[in-house]
């Protein structure tokens, strides 16, 4: 035999090693982690920043006071409406790697990457290695998960903590150890400290999973859940209570609140108003899809939800629903395992369906919000694919039902993603349907020496059909480093920020405030450029924060000299000035328009304040 040829026994050993590696949980977790990390970490330097979060991170890094209170600007006149955990981690990242877009995104990208092997292991422990692989792969390539992980936001961190909590709940149900369930409560409390109520979307589902899956007596089970709930509430409220108990003059005004308190920002601005926005809200309805039952699936001009979730979501609903209803896969194995499978299946449905319904009809929906149900989408799809593979040994009705579901998914794929990726998916799904219709048994190779189970063929083909389009979409997102769902709160242009900086730096040296800014969303770009305190006068929905008496006091004390208005009230005639906010009226009476001298394009933007009144 030639030296370059491998003997049949040698080839068999290689095949055996490959098969052993593929069945190894450690190998699968490592492969999924590498794949997910590649999509989430590649080219972060070119990611699109979010001035609102970036200015907050920069300001928090100025002092321990700013760090604790989540200061929005270096002078801590106002605080961000978001809780601190993810932003604390971003600040620490910037201290280690320097202040940059990539260092601020890095904690989110790493957290999103770590969620993939954890979801794989959670599903694997209850269902099967194949189901775990499919679920982990689905999350790894889910476009909304990749996009959010590469955006300068905090949604990925909250979702990753939910996955950690779910993994702990499954482990607690398997072992009966209360401390694991309490740890899950702590992690969910941290998720609340990351994205508030969005971090708690999985709580009802995880409660049901433990209640249905645990073998401990009912009283102990209820006690365990009570301890976990206590841990969740304690951790979730620790920071808000600490902020609220701080002396009145020490904590900044919280953006989004009506009274400056953290409690009002949490309950109303980040709670009730997210579901039913106030009538005078300045937020526009998302252009990425109108509210309605088809919102998360519809594709077309200005609609992004279907591209980011729809393909995997339709597979999760069809195949996961089929697996849950048919229960074909739960009849094999000991009763305890069957109970845990059903419990996790119900839990995934409770995680996915209510939140998806809310997201379908809520007025304002940024795509990144859907990241909260990304693990449930991936888990349902993985469970459904594994359940579909098992129907190859069932009756003809079950096989036809599985084939019909695959055909429906194929129709959606072909309609949703025009191009060769959709064609490939349709072909693969069709092949999976044929494999189901072949009936039970094995397909033999030509040489007759090896047999390939139809279940394996079905699972591989169906998984490729469902995961190929989102994988290509995620690859495009990673390749286009600027792709982001971080938003762009910071309407002051870079040109105006440069002009203001050049004009103000020599004229405000020694003053506490670089300037006062009427609308908070015009401040971030200048904050990031000059890293100086900015007095914010109006917050979300342009609610007043500091009025003319504060401006008068700061001017009299020699701490402030300039104010930026930046809206139509800066140029309206005196006869119409009465319709403008009181603070702007004061600025007009006590200020001189220096916009042209500062190099700003729009007149009536920048005013030099003086103690004596100027009739406007």
């Amino acid at each position: 035999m030639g030296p370059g040829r491998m003997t049949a026994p040698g080839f068999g050993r290689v095949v055996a090693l490959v098969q052993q590696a593929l069945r190894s949980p450690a190998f699968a977790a490592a492969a999924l982690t590498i794949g997910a990390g590649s999509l989430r970490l590649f080219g972060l330097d070119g990611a699109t920043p979010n001035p609102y979060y970036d200015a907050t991170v920069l300001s928090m890094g100025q002092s321990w006071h700013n760090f604790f209170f989540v200061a929005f600007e270096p002078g801590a006149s106002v605080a961000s409406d978001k809780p601190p955990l993810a932003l604390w981690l971003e600040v620490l990242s910037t201290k280690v790697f320097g202040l940059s877009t990539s260092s601020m995104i890095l904690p989110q990208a790493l957290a999103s990457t770590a969620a993939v092997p954890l979801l794989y292991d959670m599903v694997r422990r209850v269902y099967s290695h194949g189901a775990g692989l499919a679920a982990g792969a689905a999350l790894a390539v889910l476009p909304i998960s990749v996009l959010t992980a590469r955006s300068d936001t905090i949604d990925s961190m909250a979702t990753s903590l939910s996955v950690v909590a779910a993994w702990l709940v499954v482990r607690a149900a398997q072992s009966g150890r209360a401390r694991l369930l309490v740890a899950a409560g702590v992690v969910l409390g941290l998720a609340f400290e990351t994205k508030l109520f969005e971090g708690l979307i999985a709580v009802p589902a995880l409660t049901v999973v433990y209640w249905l899956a645990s073998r401990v007596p009912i009283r102990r089970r209820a006690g365990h859940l009570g301890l976990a709930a206590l841990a969740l509430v304690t951790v979730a409220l620790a920071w808000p209570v600490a902020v609220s108990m701080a002396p009145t003059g020490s904590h900044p005004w919280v953006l989004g609140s009506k009274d400056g308190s953290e409690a009002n920002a949490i309950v109303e601005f980040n709670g009730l108003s997210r579901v039913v926005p106030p009538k005078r809200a300045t937020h526009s309805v998302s252009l990425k899809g109108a509210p309605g039952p088809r919102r998360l699936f519809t594709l077309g001009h200005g609609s992004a939800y279907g591209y980011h979730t729809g393909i995997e979501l339709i597979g999760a609903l069809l195949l996961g629903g089929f697996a849950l209803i048919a229960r074909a896969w739960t009849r094999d194995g000991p009763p305890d395992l069957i109970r845990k499978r059903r419990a996790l299946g119900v839990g995934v449905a409770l995680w996915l369906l209510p939140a998806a319904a809310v997201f379908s009809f809520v007025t304002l929906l940024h795509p990144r919000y859907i990241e909260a149900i990304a693990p449930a989408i991936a888990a349902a799809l993985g469970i459904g694919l594994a359940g579909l593979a098992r129907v190859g040994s069932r009756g003809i009705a079950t096989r036809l039902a599985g084939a019909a579901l695959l055909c429906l998914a194929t129709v959606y794929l072909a309609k949703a993603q025009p191009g060769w990726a959709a064609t490939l998916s349709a072909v693969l799904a069709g092949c999976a349907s044929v494999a189901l219709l072949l009936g039970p048994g094995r397909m033999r190779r030509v040489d007759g020496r090896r047999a390939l189970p139809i279940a394996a063929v079905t699972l591989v083909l169906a998984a490729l059909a469902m995961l190929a389009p989102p994988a290509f979409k995620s690859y495009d997102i990673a390749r286009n480093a600027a792709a982001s769902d971080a938003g762009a709160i910071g309407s002051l242009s870079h040109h105006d920020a440069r002009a203001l900086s050049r004009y103000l730096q020599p004229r405000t040296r020694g003053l506490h405030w670089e300037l006062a800014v009427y609308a908070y969303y015009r401040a971030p770009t200048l904050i990031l450029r000059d890293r100086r305190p900015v007095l914010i006068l109006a917050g979300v929905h342009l609610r007043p924060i500091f009025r003319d008496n504060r401006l008068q006091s700061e001017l009299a004390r020699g701490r402030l000299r300039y104010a930026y208005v930046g809206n139509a009230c800066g140029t309206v005639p005196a006869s119409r000035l009465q319709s403008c906010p009181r603070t702007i009226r004061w600025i007009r009476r006590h200020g001189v328009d220096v916009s042209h001298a500062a190099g700003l394009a729009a007149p009536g933007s920048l005013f030099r304040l003086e103690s004596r009144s100027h009739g406007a």
Side-chain angles (χ1 to χ4, degrees):
M1 176 135 344
R5 298 183 61 185
M6 182 178 293
T7 64
F11 178 75
R13 283 195 297 270
V14 171
V15 171
L17 288 174
V18 171
Q19 291 176 338
Q20 183 179 1
L22 292 175
R23 296 191 188 100
S24 167
F27 177 85
L32 290 171
T33 303
I34 292 172
S38 299
L39 291 172
R40 287 158 175 77
L41 296 169
F42 176 77
L44 283 183
D45 288 336
T48 301
N50 182 319
Y52 177 81
Y53 287 109
D54 294 353
T56 302
V57 171
L58 182 148
S59 302
M60 290 170 64
Q62 303 295 308
S63 69
W64 285 109
H65 174 273
N66 289 9
F67 182 81
F68 177 74
F69 286 105
V70 196
F72 172 66
E73 55 84 25
S77 62
V78 296
S80 170
D81 66 294
K82 296 297 183 287
L85 182 60
L87 296 171
W88 283 347
L89 295 175
E90 291 185 22
V91 173
L92 295 177
S93 179
T94 61
K95 295 299 182 182
V96 175
F97 301 106
L99 185 67
S100 67
T101 300
S102 59
S103 65
M104 284 185 275
I105 296 177
L106 184 61
Q108 322 306 320
L110 291 176
S112 180
T113 300
V116 171
L118 275 178
L119 185 71
Y120 152 75
D121 190 62
M122 181 190 77
V123 175
R124 176 192 68 84
R125 287 176 175 275
V126 178
Y127 287 97
S128 65
H129 179 69
L133 270 176
L139 184 60
V141 302
L142 186 62
I144 192 60
S145 184
V146 174
L147 181 70
T148 307
R150 299 176 60 85
S151 302
D152 193 1
T153 56
I154 58 181
D155 299 76
S156 290
M157 182 66 68
T159 302
S160 300
L161 288 170
S162 297
V163 175
V164 174
W167 182 80
L168 287 169
V169 167
V170 169
R171 292 292 308 276
Q174 289 177 326
S175 65
R177 295 175 181 173
R179 63 174 178 269
L180 291 174
L181 193 65
V182 173
V186 171
V187 172
L188 287 169
L190 294 176
F192 182 85
E193 296 281 27
T194 302
K195 199 69 192 293
L196 300 176
F197 299 104
E198 186 180 312
L200 302 183
I201 286 177
V203 169
L206 299 184
T207 302
V208 170
V209 168
Y210 184 76
W211 184 262
L212 295 180
S214 178
R215 297 180 60 186
V216 301
I218 290 180
R219 287 189 176 182
R220 286 181 56 198
R221 208 180 310 169
H224 292 175
L225 287 171
L227 290 174
L230 179 61
L232 189 162
V233 172
T234 301
V235 174
L237 296 183
W239 180 79
V241 170
V243 169
S244 300
M245 293 178 63
T248 304
S250 65
H251 59 78
W253 182 285
V254 182
L255 286 171
S257 66
K258 292 181 178 179
D259 58 5
S261 70
E262 192 67 47
N264 184 263
I266 291 173
V267 175
E268 184 168 340
F269 178 66
N270 283 306
L272 298 176
S273 69
R274 299 292 171 156
V275 180
V276 184
K279 292 182 179 180
R280 66 173 185 160
T282 57
H283 292 299
S284 61
V285 176
S286 176
L287 298 178
K288 297 179 175 64
R294 297 188 301 170
R295 185 189 218 177
L296 300 183
F297 309 102
T298 303
L299 297 171
H301 179 69
S303 176
Y305 301 122
Y307 286 115
H308 292 147
T309 62
I311 293 173
E312 287 198 25
L313 180 56
I314 194 70
L317 294 176
L318 289 176
L319 303 184
F322 166 74
L324 185 63
I325 294 171
R327 297 181 180 177
W329 83 105
T330 62
R331 297 174 185 172
D332 300 327
D336 182 58
L337 181 59
I338 293 174
R339 184 176 66 254
K340 288 181 172 60
R341 285 175 174 172
R342 291 177 178 173
L344 185 57
V346 172
V348 169
L350 288 176
W351 188 344
L352 173 58
L353 296 178
V358 172
F359 290 151
S360 295
F361 292 96
V362 71
T363 302
L364 178 67
L365 179 67
H366 293 292
R368 63 179 179 269
Y369 295 169
I370 308 174
E371 168 71 358
I373 60 173
I377 293 174
L381 183 56
I383 294 169
L385 286 170
L388 189 66
R390 289 182 175 270
V391 305
S393 60
R394 305 295 174 185
I396 184 64
T398 308
R399 293 200 301 273
L400 288 176
L405 288 169
L406 270 177
C407 289
L408 287 174
T410 301
V411 170
Y412 179 80
L413 290 169
K415 180 181 178 181
Q417 289 276 73
W420 67 272
T423 303
L424 174 62
S425 295
V427 171
L428 291 170
C431 292
S433 300
V434 171
L436 281 170
L437 294 171
L438 285 176
R442 296 171 177 268
M443 294 187 300
R444 293 192 173 277
R445 295 184 182 177
V446 177
D447 59 13
R449 290 185 299 177
R450 300 184 185 279
L452 195 61
I454 287 180
V457 175
T458 303
L459 177 59
V460 172
L461 291 176
L464 290 175
M466 286 294 173
L467 299 183
F472 287 121
K473 177 65 178 178
S474 293
Y475 172 74
D476 287 340
I477 292 172
R479 187 177 59 177
N480 177 20
S484 173
D485 187 40
I489 301 178
S491 63
L492 187 67
S493 69
H494 288 283
H495 171 271
D496 282 357
R498 286 193 298 270
L500 279 173
S501 180
R502 287 195 300 266
Y503 183 81
L504 294 174
Q505 288 285 10
R507 293 171 174 82
T508 60
R509 192 172 292 115
L511 299 182
H512 179 76
W513 304 104
E514 184 173 25
L515 81 167
V517 174
Y518 179 68
Y520 81 100
Y521 53 79
R522 297 190 182 276
T525 308
L526 186 63
I527 292 172
L528 289 168
R529 183 176 183 85
D530 290 351
R531 309 187 182 189
R532 291 191 58 193
V534 174
L535 183 64
I536 306 298
L537 302 177
V540 179
H541 311 321
L542 297 182
R543 292 194 187 102
I545 297 177
F546 302 114
R547 298 184 183 271
D548 53 340
N549 57 346
R550 177 66 182 270
L551 283 171
Q552 179 68 52
S553 172
E554 297 295 330
L555 179 62
R557 295 169 62 189
R559 289 160 52 92
L560 175 69
R561 190 172 297 158
Y562 292 90
Y564 185 89
V565 174
N567 63 26
C569 284
T571 56
V572 297
S575 59
R576 296 170 50 194
L577 189 59
Q578 198 62 29
S579 63
C580 293
R582 174 179 169 180
T583 306
I584 294 182
R585 297 201 304 268
W586 188 93
I587 292 172
R588 288 285 301 273
R589 288 195 301 268
H590 293 78
V592 176
D593 186 358
V594 293
S595 305
H596 179 73
L600 302 178
S605 297
L606 183 66
F607 290 84
R608 185 180 69 247
L609 302 177
E610 299 181 358
S611 297
R612 62 188 183 85
S613 174
H614 293 271

